[in-house]
Amino acid sequence: MTIAKLGILGAGTMGAGIAVGAAQHGVPVTLVDISETARRRALEAAGKFFARAQEKGRLSDEAGRAALARITTAEDAAALLDCGLVIEAVFEDFELKARVFETLSGLLPAETVLATNTSCLTVGGLAAHVDHPERFLGMHYFSPAEVNPLVEIVRGERTGDGAMAAALSFARDTGKRPLVCRDSPGFAVNRFFCPYTNEAARVWDEGLGDPARIDRVAQEALGAAAGPFFVQNIIKPRINLHAIRNLAPLGPFYAPAEGLIRVGDADESFPLGETPAPDPALDGPIAERLLGATFLAVLQELDEEVASPADIDMGASIALRFGKPPCALMDALGAKEVSRLLQPILERFELKAPGALGRVGGLS
């Protein structure tokens, strides 16, 4: 099934970014939001994006104008009736999203593919509010959606083959790299990104390093383009805190750190001062904590068959810009070293070693 027209409900940052990415690749988009201000801002953001692309020679003037013209906005969801795929991109609140899908279910034809852009709610939970749930799945874009190449395609228990094929084709046609994963808290990427950022906050809480040092250590340990605190300040700590709180069913290891709660609930940013000079005595323990937390989450999701090692590493590389993706890094370190890094966390949270630990050395 080829998607001739895309509908998006929610004209915030993510909805607008998805619209820009699709329009740039030739797909007409209808962007619906009850807020006139949100609709106006989305069009302004799209105009600025295409203007910058023209200035840098990435788009011709004609192509930029044509892309912007492909985006239309509307207040009423009835404007989505002729869309082959409709993506919900409203605030991360279950009740709000559930009401959205109940409305769309009563309005749109049964053959319309419906997707949620949720980053942390389960597809299965929302599917209960969709008629013909075989047409429903997750399409989790990563910020900034207009340029980040990754989209997680999340198959719920009742998602049909037709919806999956349509979503995969649409993702590729609009320049995205699809990562197919099971419906599980955090999906494939946030499942380890959230514990990684949360462990950074725990390390800060315990006085082992300030955010600037922890960021530098993370960049070295994982080859990250930016450290966990810097990234959270971009995406907003309150948003990351919300995502981490939604991992609560996975157990105490996933519970948010005190510092993250404090900064996130206050809607503040983490203090990032001047980057301190390397100090092996300080940096070593920090690196071990960050690696241990990341590895544990990845091995647990491998046990649950959320995604393949190759896809997990792809997500880490292109969405998070980890130069040392976790499965390949574990293979390079070896099972003995990975086990040593995991042991303090397993003891602290009274956890069993993941079965996938036995596969280290042949993951990637």
Side-chain angles (χ1 to χ4, degrees), residues 14 50 57-58 76 81 107 120 128 162 192 194 203 233 256 324:
M14 290 302 296
F50 293 128
R58 296 173 183 164
D76 195 325
L81 281 168
L107 177 68
C120 55
F192 65 88
C194 286
V203 169
N233 283 350
K324 303 174 185 177

Side-chain angles (χ1 to χ4, degrees), residues 6-12 14-20 29-33 38-39 42-43 70-76 79-80 83 87 89:
L6 172 67
I8 301 170
L9 202 154
M14 290 302 296
I18 296 169
V20 166
V29 182
T30 297
L31 187 56
V32 170
D33 201 295
R39 298 194 303 271
L43 285 177
R70 292 187 190 104
I71 303 175
T72 58
T73 64
E75 179 181 0
D76 195 325
L80 302 171
C83 297
I87 301 174

Side-chain angles (χ1 to χ4, degrees), residues 245-323:
R245 281 174 166 154
N246 276 282
L247 298 182
L250 296 171
F253 166 64
Y254 292 87
E258 292 180 4
L260 179 54
I261 293 172
R262 183 175 65 254
V263 173
D265 280 344
D267 198 13
E268 296 175 347
S269 296
F270 290 104
L272 284 175
E274 188 173 337
T275 302
D279 183 334
L282 297 175
D283 297 350
I286 295 172
E288 293 189 355
R289 290 280 296 273
L290 297 178
L291 290 174
T294 303
F295 293 163
L296 175 59
V298 169
L299 292 169
Q300 287 180 336
E301 70 167 302
L302 287 174
D303 278 357
E304 297 162 23
E305 299 182 338
V306 176
S308 70
D311 280 347
I312 290 170
D313 277 5
M314 178 186 72
S317 297
I318 70 174
L320 306 180
R321 298 178 66 191
F322 281 9

Side-chain angles (χ1 to χ4, degrees), residues 18 22 26 28 30 46 57 59 78 88 94 109 134 146 151 156 168 187-188 206 236 265 290 344 346 359:
I18 296 169
T30 297
L59 282 179
E88 164 274 312
F94 182 87
E134 68 277 2
E146 58 269 37
V151 56
L168 286 166
F187 307 137
E206 294 169 25
K236 302 299 182 186
D265 280 344
L290 297 178
L346 297 177
R359 296 164 56 190

Side-chain angles (χ1 to χ4, degrees), residues 324-358:
K324 303 174 185 177
C327 293
L329 182 54
M330 283 191 282
D331 280 349
L333 292 173
K336 183 176 181 180
E337 175 63 5
V338 172
S339 180
R340 184 185 71 81
L341 293 169
L342 292 182
Q343 197 56 40
I345 302 176
L346 297 177
E347 291 176 358
R348 178 175 181 176
F349 293 98
E350 299 181 347
L351 297 170
K352 293 182 179 179
L357 179 60

